[in-house]
Every structure is written in C-alpha cells, then in structure tokens.
Amino acid sequence: MSWEHVTLGQRVRFGTGQAASHLADEVERLGAQRVMLIAEETAPDVASEIEVAVRWTDVAPHVPVEIAERARKQAEDVDLLVSVGGGSTTGLAKAIALTTGLPIIAVPTTYAGSEATNVWGLTEASRKTTGSDDRVLPTTVIYDAALTASLPDELAIASGCNALAHCVDSMWAPRADPINQALAVEGIRALRGGLRRIGSVEGREQTLYGAYLSAVAFASAGSGLHHKICHVLGGAYNLPHAQTHTAILPYVLAFNTPAAPEAGTRIAEALGGDLITLYGEIGASHVLHGVPDVVEAAKLIMPSAPPSNPRPVTEDDLTALLAAASAGQLEWSRA
C-alpha cells in the first residue's frame, strides 16, 4: 500500500443535555472575551451560561456572499464565533473565519457534518463556490442529541441521509485512503442503526456519532461525484441541501458501484443490504425536485466532475442520472 493521510485536529465534546455547560467550559478554556453568537431565532438556547457580545440571526442556505459580507463586518471586534444550528449556520461561521481567522465553536442541531470539516462554500449569482482551508475548521464541536429532538422527522431523516452521502462519497473520492474508508464504513453502520431509531435518544446519539464519522472521512477524502453534483444543483437552483443529497445518493451509488465493486460490497455490508431498502424503512425520498432542465444542469455540473471518479463521467451520463432521479426511476443503471 502507498498513500498519504491527513487527520484534522479538533476537540469534540459529546453528551446529551450538556451543551450549555460544555459551551461555557470551552469559552473559558479559549479565554474568549467577546463572543459572536450565530444562530437563527428558532435555534435552541445553549448560550445561557456565557456572555454574548454580538448576536447574528440572518442565516440562509448555501451562504449567500452578501450575508457573509455583512456578518464579517459585525465580527470585527469579537474574538470567538459560536455557531448553533445546521449546516447553513456553521457555513456562515466558516465564511467569517475564512477572512478573519477567528476560531469557531460549533454546536450542531442537525446531522449536516460541516462542523467537522475544513470545507467552506459561498454562493453568488446562483453559482456555489467551495474550497478547503484549515482556518474554517471549528476549534471545538459540541454534540448534544437533545438539540436534534425538535427536528421534524422528514428533515432529520434527510439530514441523516446527507451524512450517509458523506460516507459513500468517501469510499471513492479523490483522496480516499484506507483510514477514511474505515471511518466511512463505521459511519454507515452507525447511521443505519441510528436512523432506524431516530425517534429515541439512543437513535439520535447514534446518528450524531455517525454524522461526525462521516464528516471526518469526507474532510480527508474530499468531494466525490455525488457532492459535486449536489453543490452545483444547490447553488444553481437554490435547492434544499439535505433533501437534494438524499435524492441523488442512490443514483450516484448505482452509477459508480460497477466500477468500484470492492467499495460497493463494503457499503452494502455496512448498510446490511441495499440503500433503497433502508430508504423504504426510514421514509427517505429518492426523488429529485426543483431541477427544471436536466440537460442544462448536466452542462453546469460537468466541469466539476472529478477526473478520479471510479467511472468516467460524460455529460450524457449526468443528464441520464438527473433524469432518472427527477423521475424516481430506481431501476436506472448505466452499468
């Protein structure tokens, strides 16, 4: 074997019902004096034990550049960012850190996984740009399954399937190696069990654990075909992040597995069967909504398709994949 692996340095605190106390401990440990809290109005209140200097509530999916620029101005006199929410909230904190270098404490309330990666994304004029930079990696992540209890079942399932997508992509992404593949396989196992019991505390804890593993694997392996497709679609058509990832995943899996049979076997073993069976058990949707022209979408995606994908990708392949996903044609295969 010959490969190179990078592990990102990050502190993780995990405990149900302990988010507020863990946050206070971390703020004290970092010696922060002026905290900027980034959280939507409806976010759980976990800042009751810290002093907040600046509160920011204007959060939007895919992190529009104009919101990021306004938030950066408000962060000029702070020394720590605290994000409480899903991927959009974490993403905004990352956009601020990207230009300011401010440290982040991330308190996730979904299973998005952005909190454990050094990947950032910004959207301008319907085009989403992504990149990686260690400045945006949160210094600490605080996981608390109680904070996910209020998620509607449909959103919780979609968010968990988004984490599954991180795992699957990590099996054949540009920097895939045995370590991040091992993390991805364990993440799939945890997510499979957690999503089946998402209504219980134990299920939510397992799903959070799996989401963290999925994000660590993804941060190391990089963005594969699945994520390139979803990022372009999200930016171009303002599609909901988690639901789009959920819908696209079965089709990318069907496309790549014939060219990567060993990875496909490991994924199936970790799932305890096939992905569609799990989708049926948990009520996940495999239908893509909101793409008005699949030919146009394929043209937009094609420049981002990874050359290292296990199977060569053409514009016609992408058009067929998107058409199948839009129609919910599970029997579709390019094998």
Side-chain angles (χ1 to χ4, degrees):
M1 292 191 293
S2 178
W3 41 270
E4 179 179 328
H5 179 84
V6 176
T7 298
L8 300 177
Q10 185 179 66
R11 184 179 179 90
V12 177
R13 303 197 65 168
F14 199 110
T16 300
Q18 301 177 57
S21 60
H22 282 170
L23 177 58
D25 289 346
E26 289 302 297
V27 170
E28 181 179 2
R29 183 180 71 85
L30 294 171
Q33 300 298 313
R34 290 183 58 80
V35 173
M36 179 176 179
L37 177 66
I38 304 167
E40 295 183 83
E41 295 284 1
T42 56
D45 181 14
V46 300
S48 57
E49 299 182 25
I50 66 170
E51 184 175 339
V52 175
V54 178
R55 293 180 183 268
W56 184 271
T57 60
D58 187 7
V59 176
H62 309 296
V63 193
V65 166
E66 57 271 20
I67 292 180
E69 290 176 347
R70 293 200 304 270
R72 287 165 177 163
K73 291 179 181 178
Q74 292 297 310
E76 290 177 354
D77 295 323
V78 305
D79 56 6
L80 176 66
L81 305 172
V82 173
S83 65
V84 181
S88 298
T89 306
T90 308
L92 180 57
K94 287 182 170 185
I96 298 170
L98 183 64
T99 58
T100 65
L102 288 168
I104 303 169
I105 297 177
V107 187
T109 60
T110 70
Y111 310 112
S114 176
E115 67 280 353
T117 80
N118 62 351
V119 177
W120 56 268
L122 288 164
T123 301
E124 184 174 20
S126 298
R127 295 294 181 268
K128 186 169 185 176
T129 302
T130 62
S132 60
D133 192 308
D134 287 349
R135 288 177 297 177
V136 309
L137 178 73
T139 299
T140 302
V141 182
I142 296 173
Y143 289 111
D144 185 337
L147 303 183
T148 67
S150 62
L151 275 177
D153 287 349
E154 181 180 357
L155 181 54
I157 293 298
S159 185
C161 289
N162 179 26
L164 272 176
H166 288 136
C167 293
V168 171
D169 235 12
S170 296
M171 299 300 291
W172 43 51
R175 299 189 304 274
D177 63 45
I179 295 177
N180 49 52
Q181 288 177 333
L183 291 170
V185 168
E186 173 61 15
I188 292 171
R189 291 195 186 101
L191 289 163
R192 176 195 71 189
L195 287 169
R196 284 173 169 156
R197 299 180 295 142
I198 200 66
S200 67
V201 172
E202 294 79 8
R204 292 192 293 274
E205 287 180 335
Q206 279 296 300
T207 305
L208 267 183
Y209 165 63
Y212 170 71
L213 291 177
S214 77
V216 173
F218 174 70
S220 172
S223 293
L225 178 63
H226 172 90
H227 279 78
K228 294 300 185 181
I229 291 172
C230 293
H231 286 165
V232 171
L233 293 179
Y237 305 109
N238 195 30
L239 303 185
H241 183 86
Q243 291 88 336
T244 302
H245 279 267
T246 302
I248 288 292
L249 181 58
Y251 304 93
V252 175
L253 184 58
F255 181 83
N256 272 347
T257 296
E262 182 180 348
T265 298
R266 294 181 70 185
I267 291 168
E269 289 175 349
L271 286 169
D274 62 76
L275 180 63
I276 293 305
T277 298
L278 177 63
Y279 269 35
E281 291 176 357
I282 64 179
S285 173
H286 58 268
V287 181
L288 176 66
H289 298 285
V291 178
D293 186 337
V294 296
V295 175
E296 174 196 58
K299 291 182 184 295
L300 294 174
I301 294 165
M302 190 61 212
S304 299
S308 61
N309 193 64
R311 186 172 177 175
V313 184
T314 68
E315 204 170 285
D316 286 344
D317 291 330
L318 292 171
T319 300
L321 187 154
L322 294 174
S326 297
Q329 294 176 341
L330 292 177
E331 69 279 6
W332 172 82
S333 173
R334 300 291 290 175

